[in-house]
Amino acid sequence: MTVRDHAIDRDALTLTFVAEFAAPVERVWQVWADPRQLERWWGPPEWPATFTRHELEPGGEMRYVMTGPDGETSAGWWRMTDVEAPHRLAFDDGFADADGNPVPDMPVTHAEARLEDAGEGTTRMTLVSTFPSREALDELAEMGMVEGMSSAMAQIDALLADG
């Protein structure tokens, strides 16, 4: 099932992904709530993530490093702004330096994931990223954010099948 649709809205400064999974909401929530499961899908397959901090609570922080096929790394951080298990989480999302500190000259987005029962044991996940400017949206889109998130989310089906 996975990604059903994605849309860039340059006027609203958003990038939206809609995916459906053959699992109940509570199970899909676990792919966010369990850092080992989150590592198995956050980031494209060729750039797997390792979470070094995982605080899924309002005000909590997440830290991760993605490692590319040639050993290069890219770090990121999240600051959780809202968590309503098992239906919603929201966070600020940015790039980090090698020490996990935010990179000041890179855009920070705000992301919100909503999980809803789509009937017959299926969950719809809508992930909306809001950008601070049209330039930031274009910059991250040019860096491959659409393709990267699509391939990352495509890994969730196999993760859910593993139990």
Side-chain angles (χ1 to χ4, degrees):
M1 286 185 174
T2 312
V3 176
R4 292 281 195 202
D5 193 21
H6 75 274
I8 295 175
D9 185 332
R10 285 188 165 75
D11 293 328
L13 304 176
T14 59
L15 172 58
T16 302
F17 290 89
V18 178
E20 290 189 358
F21 303 101
V25 169
E26 293 77 11
R27 174 62 187 102
V28 177
W29 177 259
Q30 289 305 307
V31 305
W32 292 96
D34 177 348
R36 303 297 74 92
Q37 291 184 51
L38 186 55
E39 288 175 340
R40 292 182 53 196
W41 74 271
W42 188 259
E46 62 277 5
W47 280 83
T50 300
F51 277 78
T52 58
R53 177 182 258 174
H54 185 275
E55 300 169 349
L56 188 61
E57 59 192 39
E61 295 186 1
M62 307 278 206
R63 299 275 190 253
Y64 65 92
V65 176
M66 295 189 307
T67 304
D70 297 323
E72 65 270 43
T73 60
S74 178
W77 60 268
W78 299 347
R79 187 163 302 111
M80 305 308 295
T81 57
D82 198 12
V83 178
E84 299 170 20
H87 295 286
R88 183 177 172 277
L89 63 130
F91 54 95
D92 294 329
D93 179 11
F95 290 85
D97 63 21
D99 296 321
N101 300 309
V103 176
D105 58 342
M106 289 298 292
V108 174
T109 63
H110 182 75
E112 181 175 334
R114 289 189 179 271
L115 305 177
E116 59 186 331
D117 184 340
E120 300 181 19
T122 301
T123 297
R124 179 174 301 112
M125 180 166 70
T126 304
L127 179 61
V128 180
S129 294
T130 303
F131 297 80
S133 67
R134 192 173 285 194
E135 294 76 23
L137 171 57
D138 291 341
E139 177 182 2
L140 292 177
E142 287 173 20
M143 290 175 67
M145 187 172 181
V146 172
E147 299 80 7
M149 184 57 71
S150 293
S151 65
M153 290 175 76
Q155 300 173 102
I156 296 175
D157 282 326
L159 177 58
L160 295 170
D162 286 349

